[in-house]
Amino acid sequence: MQPEAAIEHVLGLARQSGLAEVDVLVERGESLGLKIRDAKVEKVDQSTSLGLGVRVLLDGRTGLAYTERLEASALRRVLDEALENAELQDQLEVNLPDPAEDVPAAEALQLYNPELEQLSFEELAEVGLEIEATAKQMDQRMVTLPYLGVSRESGEWILGTSKGTHYRQRANSATTYCGALLQEGESRKTGFWFWQMRDWNRAEAAAIGPKAVKEGTSLLGAKSIQNCKMPVILDEYCAPQLLGMFFRAFHADAAQKGTSRLAGRLGEKIAGENVTLYDDPHIPGACGSSHLDSEGVLTQKLSLVDQGVFENFLYHVESASKEQRTSTGHARRSYNSGIGTGSHNLVMEKGSYSLEELCQQPERALLVTSLEGAAGCNSISGDISIGVQGFLLEKGERVKPVDSITIAGNFFDLLGQIQGLGNCYQPYLSKVFAPPMLLDGLAISG
């Protein structure tokens, strides 16, 4: 059974059973990925996925179930399972939202490019081999390319509800990535670069090999530095990573569970006046763009922090009902999971400095170009302890590469210690847009 027909089939069964509040989510994905090594295609990964999730709301009780088979018998069984699960749950004041009015066409978000579906195995392989060839010519210190791949991915999700909501959204992209291992004496470093876009640009997709080599070369000879405190600059790739690690604090359900340090602080100043943060679900081509959330609520741009003042939490239907509010359209769900909270496209407003100008602001600083894991970061307390790589700066100049160091501090304190913001975002597909940041107050441990 096709996804659209499967959704209508489940909703028809629900009507026959007298169930008034049921929603059905179908997700489907396809990908073709090639890994390149020694001038040949080493491995081909071709995959498809399909799943259907059912949510039943019965007297305020929520039941969930899912299947990966869209046959009539499986659909009957998944509805029955969702109903049985609902009877086991505690009662909550949750109701399916009414259908949103005047929902724009998903195509307006520019998430799907049919031309990408025409990228053949041969074309992808050709680009991958070119990346390898150009990377190998770059520098004699290059040992190998342990990571080199080319892929195209596509997916869609369809939401149907017993109240009449029907929404379908497709997205696709093409990706190339390359990791280059270089060695000079005892120093071995890996440079990494990637490209991911919805508009196929063969030249840009194939140009990442030399960039990965250059990245690795710049870090050769990196050493630790002594424990100290100095200004830290996160580049446009690291800044969104750090912000994303702690953004759960803005989820209303986290505050309701006592796991957000922002609980009870609406209207307070939580950051410097140079910090303005919002969620924008309608950025063309961005990874988190959508006109409806996973419950069918119309999405809208939402201010979170305006010139340092905390303005809003993110709500889905259940978390909103606990505070007698309406959902802000931030329900997030996959076919095999329950409702959670999620941002769409998180945006921190840019500043006025280029990265080079930002690096020239302090006399001496650490420029961070790579974060190494998040195990030492706690999204509840805000504590940061994370390994980094980058460069020691003096008067804006890179005087030496550094590694084997840790930066430590607290995210909620850092919001008030941003001394400057860059004027650019990382250029590839993303759902977190944060410019380079000049931070004060972080401890550096060598």
Side-chain angles (χ1 to χ4, degrees), residues 7-256:
I7 290 173
E8 290 307 313
H9 187 79
V10 174
L11 294 177
L13 293 173
R15 284 192 295 272
Q16 293 172 14
S17 301
L19 298 171
E21 296 195 299
V22 176
D23 66 18
V24 187
L25 177 71
V26 170
E27 291 180 300
R28 179 163 58 181
E30 295 181 5
S31 68
L32 172 63
L34 284 61
K35 293 182 179 176
I36 308 296
R37 190 177 183 87
D38 297 333
K40 62 183 179 183
V41 177
E42 181 185 46
K43 186 177 181 181
V44 179
D45 292 318
Q46 188 162 17
S47 65
T48 60
S49 61
L50 175 66
L52 178 147
V54 175
R55 182 172 64 151
V56 171
L57 300 181
L58 181 66
D59 300 328
R61 296 180 171 85
T62 300
L64 299 161
Y66 72 92
T67 180
E68 293 172 348
R69 297 170 54 212
L70 304 191
E71 300 165 2
S73 59
L75 298 177
R76 173 78 258 181
R77 188 160 52 251
V78 75
L79 179 64
D80 291 343
E81 289 175 358
L83 183 58
E84 292 171 6
N85 291 335
E87 292 171 345
L88 299 173
Q89 301 301 313
D90 294 332
Q91 196 168 20
L92 298 168
E93 294 296 328
V94 179
N95 297 105
L96 278 188
D98 293 326
E101 297 181 354
D102 301 324
V103 181
E107 287 72 17
L109 296 172
Q110 302 176 28
L111 302 175
Y112 185 78
N113 178 2
E115 293 180 4
L116 290 185
E117 304 302 319
Q118 306 307 314
L119 281 175
S120 66
F121 170 90
E122 289 76 13
E123 288 175 282
L124 295 174
E126 187 177 276
V127 169
L129 294 169
E130 182 176 331
I131 293 171
E132 183 184 50
T134 54
K136 286 185 172 179
Q137 294 172 1
M138 273 290 293
D139 197 300
Q140 293 183 345
R141 293 170 291 181
M142 203 198 71
V143 179
T144 185
L145 297 168
Y147 316 107
L148 202 172
V150 187
S151 63
R152 59 172 167 83
E153 311 83 21
S154 64
E156 68 174 344
W157 62 277
I158 311 169
L159 177 69
T161 79
S162 56
K163 289 197 170 182
T165 295
H166 185 275
Y167 184 73
R168 178 188 183 198
Q169 183 167 298
R170 293 190 295 176
N172 61 359
S173 62
T175 304
T176 60
Y177 62 90
C178 179
L181 176 64
L182 293 104
Q183 180 168 7
E184 184 176 59
E186 297 297 318
S187 179
R188 291 166 67 93
K189 284 293 172 187
T190 299
F192 187 85
W193 207 266
F194 76 100
W195 176 94
Q196 185 181 37
M197 300 294 277
R198 303 191 198 283
D199 292 322
W200 178 243
N201 184 319
R202 190 191 183 289
E204 290 186 4
I208 64 166
K211 292 178 180 177
V213 174
K214 184 178 179 182
E215 186 76 6
T217 303
S218 68
L219 290 168
L220 285 171
K223 294 180 179 178
S224 181
I225 56 177
Q226 292 184 340
N227 297 354
C228 63
K229 273 195 173 185
M230 73 170 80
V232 172
I233 298 164
L234 302 180
D235 71 6
E236 65 269 33
Y237 296 91
C238 295
Q241 288 181 50
L242 188 71
L243 183 62
M245 290 177 195
F246 295 94
F247 186 68
R248 184 178 176 277
F250 289 84
H251 296 183
D253 52 2
Q256 291 164 358

Side-chain angles (χ1 to χ4, degrees), residues 359-409:
C359 290
Q360 291 168 358
Q361 297 307 304
E363 185 76 14
R364 192 165 183 263
L366 174 68
L367 171 63
V368 175
T369 58
S370 177
L371 302 178
E372 299 178 333
C377 295
N378 187 313
S379 64
I380 297 174
S381 67
D383 289 338
I384 299 169
S385 179
I386 188 169
V388 303
Q389 290 187 120
F391 302 89
L392 184 64
L393 303 175
E394 290 182 1
K395 297 180 179 179
E397 299 293 327
R398 300 185 181 193
V399 294
K400 69 174 183 180
V402 295
D403 67 359
S404 303
I405 59 172
T406 299
I407 58 173

